[in-house]
């Protein structure tokens, strides 16, 4: 995925040239704090003041270390993917793809409502609407969502070709269905749905997925 540079509307959030000594802080630690702030407040909702307060650094240090708010957000998405992504290439390579996806949906349902971190998914419902100047950031996140759906579609196509799914199964539609369940659970978790309520939803979704087995 291409990196996205964003022109900030607010001059106080404009990137500055990196110079001087390396930052005297743990980059991974402050990135995690920035990621949690973006996750909780959204890209536009998280101001530089919010971010630097959470990260415990100055705006100058933020720009020197990360370049811009948009660059920081891109890195934060990477942090989220590394820390919370639960569907690996090894999982998708497993022979029982439907069983794997059913277990993944249930794990996501529990994770989205986990009080240990902000509710929902940082990626699945991120930047769905934004100011025009933030369109590059919205496209960045949309591309990540589409990439996940493409991975699911490709794996389901292989399952159909291998005879695991019914001849009438539609891998593209199933991939979109799974994506819609994830996005819907993320929104409902943000609205206060419990893990039990979301898991009940996944049981219905999993029945539909299981019905596609040969």
């Amino acid at each position: 995925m291409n990196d996205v540079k964003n022109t900030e509307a607010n001059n106080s959030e404009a990137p500055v040239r990196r110079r001087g000594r390396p930052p005297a802080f743990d980059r991974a630690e402050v990135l995690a704090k920035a990621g949690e702030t973006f996750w909780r407040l959204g890209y536009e909702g998280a101001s530089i003041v919010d971010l630097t307060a959470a990260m415990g650094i100055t705006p100058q240090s933020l720009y020197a270390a990360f370049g811009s708010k948009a660059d920081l957000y891109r890195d934060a998405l990477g942090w989220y993917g590394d820390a919370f992504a639960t569907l690996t290439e090894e999982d998708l390579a497993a022979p029982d793809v439907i069983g794997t996806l059913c277990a993944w949906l249930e794990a996501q349902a529990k994770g989205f409502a986990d009080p240990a971190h902000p509710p929902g998914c940082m990626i699945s419902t991120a930047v769905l609407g934004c100011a025009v100047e933030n369109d590059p950031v919205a496209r960045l996140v949309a591309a990540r969502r589409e990439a996940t759906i493409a991975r699911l579609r490709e794996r389901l196509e292989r399952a159909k070709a291998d005879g695991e799914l019914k001849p009438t199964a539609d891998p593209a539609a199933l991939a979109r269905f799974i994506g819609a369940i994830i996005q819907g659970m993320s929104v409902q978790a943000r609205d206060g749905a419990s893990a039990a309520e979301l898991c009940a939803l996944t049981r219905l979704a999993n029945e539909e997925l299981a019905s596609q087995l040969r």
Side-chain angles (χ1 to χ4, degrees), residues 61-167:
S61 293
L62 184 154
Y63 293 128
F66 297 98
S68 71
K69 180 182 174 183
D71 289 330
L72 175 60
Y73 187 67
R74 183 198 64 223
D75 290 348
L77 291 174
W79 161 81
Y80 179 87
D82 291 340
F84 293 94
T86 56
L87 187 65
T88 67
E89 292 303 323
E90 290 75 16
D91 292 331
L92 287 176
D96 179 13
V97 64
I98 295 298
T100 295
L101 293 176
C102 288
W104 178 59
L105 286 177
E106 184 174 352
Q108 294 289 75
K110 294 175 181 177
F112 289 172
D114 188 341
H117 51 66
C121 173
M122 182 177 172
I123 296 175
S124 66
T125 49
V127 201
L128 295 178
C130 65
V132 173
E133 61 267 23
N134 292 325
D135 278 348
V137 177
R139 290 196 298 271
L140 170 67
V141 186
R144 283 177 173 261
R145 290 191 287 262
E146 285 299 307
T148 296
I149 290 174
R151 289 172 62 213
L152 293 171
R153 183 183 67 245
E154 180 183 4
R155 180 62 186 89
L156 290 165
E157 287 172 346
R158 295 205 310 270
K160 182 176 180 179
D162 292 342
E164 183 179 348
L165 303 184
K166 294 177 178 178

Side-chain angles (χ1 to χ4, degrees), residues 183-207:
Q183 286 184 292
M185 288 198 301
S186 180
V187 171
Q188 292 190 24
R190 298 280 298 193
D191 288 345
S194 68
E197 290 170 328
L198 295 180
C199 284
L201 187 159
T202 64
R203 284 194 289 274
L204 295 175
N206 289 347
E207 287 176 7

Side-chain angles (χ1 to χ4, degrees), residues 5-9 13 37-48 50-51 68-74 77 122 126-127 129-131 133-138 141:
K5 301 289 184 181
N6 182 46
T7 302
E8 303 290 347
E13 296 183 359
T37 303
F38 280 128
W39 188 354
R40 179 168 52 88
L41 300 177
Y43 178 75
E44 291 187 336
S47 68
I48 292 298
D50 294 323
L51 292 164
S68 71
K69 180 182 174 183
D71 289 330
L72 175 60
Y73 187 67
R74 183 198 64 223
L77 291 174
M122 182 177 172
V127 201
C130 65
E133 61 267 23
N134 292 325
D135 278 348
V137 177
V141 186

